[in-house]
Amino acid sequence: MGQERRRGPGRWSRVDVQVSMVAAAVVALSFLCVYVFNYQITYRDMISTLKERSDSIYGYVEDALDKSTFLAIEGADDVDGDDDPARPAYREMKESFKEVKAATGVRYLYTAKRAADGTLVYLVDGLPSESDDFRNPGDPIEQEIVGDMERALADEVVYPTDIKSTDWGHIFVSYYPIHDEGSVVGVVGIEFDAERQFETFRTVRIGTPLIGIAFCLAAVAVSVVLFRRISNPAYRDLANTDYLTGLKSRNAFEVDVANWNRTGARVAGVVAVDVDGLKAVNDELGHAEGDELIRAAAGVVSSCCGGLGPVYRVGGDEFAVCCFELDERAGRRIADDLRAACAAVGVAGRPLSLSVGWAVREAGEDIMQAHRRADERMYEDKARAHRDRRSGEHAGGSGFGEAAGSPEPPPPGGRGA
């Protein structure tokens, strides 16, 4: 869990992320609904158009077919010779299929029947006899379409639910029963080349999500910009953020500690920091300069301790750091780092001074108890620094941080200005 800081140029706050997620979710869901609705409508319309096209061909073919061929032809031997009785009818059907193919653009047009042995075989193939895919009368039906053929022989019109992908391309294929005096005597298969339709809808499937992503990104950017412009500058979660410093607030500290205590989170210890001389700055220079001193202190604490765990402003001039890794040696190093960083920081000509305490969390100890021990140690450090300053003043030195002659700080466990 990182600390909350004031957003700099180009940085996104937690609320920015939340607004972005909501905007992206709304746009994505809306786009998905429109996409599914339009896709399904147009796709079903395309399938319906192909069905109607196939139905019109079937209506012509069933009326034009010589049904006697379904009884007279069993195999290629029945149509090989010029004197075969079934040959004229076979040739007539071939010519009819050729005309239908030329007029409608159908890719494959063929008939089939159930042979005497119960197998399904081709009867009349509309392809030219020299074609590689040409099927002779009596050639067995491919196993993958036997099921659809059986349904057609049971007097059912069989439509596909989708465009089929085959080794020879994408097709739309339907099977229709052929009737003779009310009985089903065979099947006609009608196949259309659906490559163009397939490519169109593949483009829709691929292109639409990409457009949706682009719109989501645009919506995120616009929503964040608009939200920042029209919302209160203090739109961040003020209940958990200290507005003066941008650090996490006292409320956030208590909520986080309660959650960690409940879940048993690994918090190794607490560092407590207090600003020296804030009351003197407020009294002599005004509260505006006092606020600047607090902000300067927050910057130093954040810079030195931000990588250890969340940094909180828990009081007027008090800060706390919940460290996920801390021991006595690290605590001393943190205190030294904070004091060293103060040397380069000052407000209104006065150097920044911090009192620091730390407590390594003991086994079974509540985090708030560790914070109280760190607080006591911090006030011991403040009292020691105060005594050193007083000794320096009596020896002719100048005061540092606290105004000369200021009262002794409160005892450990209290709260100073």
Side-chain angles (χ1 to χ4, degrees):
M1 177 183 291
Q3 65 192 57
E4 296 283 350
R5 300 186 185 182
R6 307 176 90 177
R7 187 186 68 241
R11 293 188 63 184
W12 280 33
S13 70
R14 179 168 57 85
V15 177
D16 288 336
V17 175
Q18 292 172 341
V19 170
S20 301
M21 292 174 64
V22 171
V26 170
V27 172
L29 183 59
S30 301
F31 208 91
L32 179 63
C33 292
V34 172
Y35 164 66
V36 171
F37 178 76
N38 287 339
Y39 183 86
Q40 290 297 325
I41 291 290
T42 54
Y43 195 78
R44 283 200 299 267
D45 181 68
M46 180 197 70
I47 296 295
S48 296
T49 300
L50 291 172
K51 286 180 179 179
E52 291 172 2
R53 184 180 173 191
S54 186
D55 287 346
S56 65
I57 296 173
Y58 166 62
Y60 170 79
V61 168
E62 184 170 40
D63 290 340
L65 280 176
D66 185 346
K67 309 303 192 311
S68 65
T69 57
F70 287 92
L71 301 175
I73 301 175
E74 288 291 334
D77 294 342
D78 296 325
V79 295
D80 279 348
D82 292 336
D83 56 347
D84 291 328
R87 182 172 177 79
Y90 176 79
R91 295 183 64 178
E92 183 180 346
M93 288 176 62
K94 287 276 292 181
E95 287 300 317
S96 295
F97 281 6
K98 181 179 178 180
E99 292 173 1
V100 171
K101 281 170 56 65
T104 62
V106 67
R107 183 171 186 173
Y108 296 123
L109 184 61
Y110 49 88
T111 58
K113 59 175 280 187
R114 190 184 303 280
D117 60 2
T119 61
L120 299 181
V121 297
Y122 284 97
L123 194 64
V124 180
D125 190 343
L127 289 174
S129 301
E130 63 274 11
S131 173
D132 292 338
D133 294 332
F134 176 75
R135 297 294 187 265
N136 288 298
D139 285 351
I141 296 294
E142 288 81 1
Q143 190 60 39
E144 59 267 23
I145 63 174
V146 165
D148 289 338
M149 287 280 188
E150 291 283 5
R151 290 168 58 192
L153 285 170
D155 205 13
E156 177 184 352
V157 176
V158 182
Y159 296 115
T161 58
D162 203 352
I163 293 175
K164 292 186 177 181
S165 179
T166 66
D167 293 339
W168 55 90
H170 295 92
I171 61 171
F172 181 88
V173 53
S174 303
Y175 301 99
Y176 297 87
I178 298 297
H179 302 87
D180 184 25
E181 296 182 358
S183 299
V184 177
V185 294
V187 176
V188 60
I190 303 172
E191 296 184 12
F192 289 106
D193 187 342
E195 197 68 39
R196 180 176 58 82
Q197 290 88 344
F198 177 82
E199 289 298 330
T200 297
F201 279 90
R202 184 172 67 172
T203 301
V204 171
R205 282 196 299 266
I206 296 174
T208 303
L210 293 179
I211 296 173
I213 292 172
F215 270 89
C216 282
L217 294 176
V220 166
V222 171
S223 63
V224 170
V225 171
L226 290 179
F227 187 83
R228 288 180 179 180
R229 285 182 178 274
I230 67 177
S231 65
N232 191 315
Y235 68 88
R236 290 189 302 172
D237 189 356
L238 296 180
N240 295 308
T241 303
D242 177 59
Y243 184 65
L244 179 64
T245 63
L247 300 178
K248 302 193 82 172
S249 65
R250 174 78 191 196
N251 180 71
F253 174 73
E254 293 181 352
V255 170
D256 288 347
V257 167
N259 289 336
W260 287 330
N261 283 331
R262 185 179 67 254
T263 61
R266 185 176 58 84
V267 176
V270 181
V271 174
V273 182
D274 188 87
V275 181
D276 298 329
L278 177 63
K279 183 177 185 302
V281 171
N282 283 335
D283 292 345
E284 297 174 19
L285 303 177
H287 286 278
E289 293 298 334
D291 288 347
E292 286 300 317
L293 184 65
I294 292 173
R295 278 194 285 265
V300 169
V301 177
S302 178
S303 175
C304 293
C305 303
L308 304 173
V311 180
Y312 306 85
R313 183 187 177 201
V314 294
D317 59 353
E318 301 170 26
F319 304 90
V321 185
C322 291
C323 304
F324 297 115
E325 293 184 5
L326 184 69
D327 55 26
E328 286 295 327
R329 182 177 179 181
R332 286 190 292 272
R333 185 183 69 252
I334 293 168
D336 291 341
D337 289 346
L338 286 168
R339 295 186 184 105
C342 288
V345 180
V347 175
R350 300 193 178 204
L352 176 65
S353 176
L354 301 175
S355 296
V356 184
W358 67 91
V360 178
R361 189 180 177 191
E362 298 175 353
E365 185 179 35
D366 184 280
I367 298 174
M368 198 63 80
Q369 292 173 330
H371 177 239
R372 282 194 289 270
R373 290 197 297 111
D375 236 10
E376 292 171 0
R377 196 167 188 174
M378 178 268 292
Y379 277 109
E380 290 173 3
D381 181 56
K382 182 182 285 287
R384 183 167 51 253
H386 183 74
R387 287 193 298 269
D388 291 344
R389 286 194 296 273
R390 294 294 296 271
S391 297
E393 291 169 6
H394 291 319
S398 59
F400 179 77
E402 298 271 3
S406 60
E408 289 285 338
R415 286 288 181 267

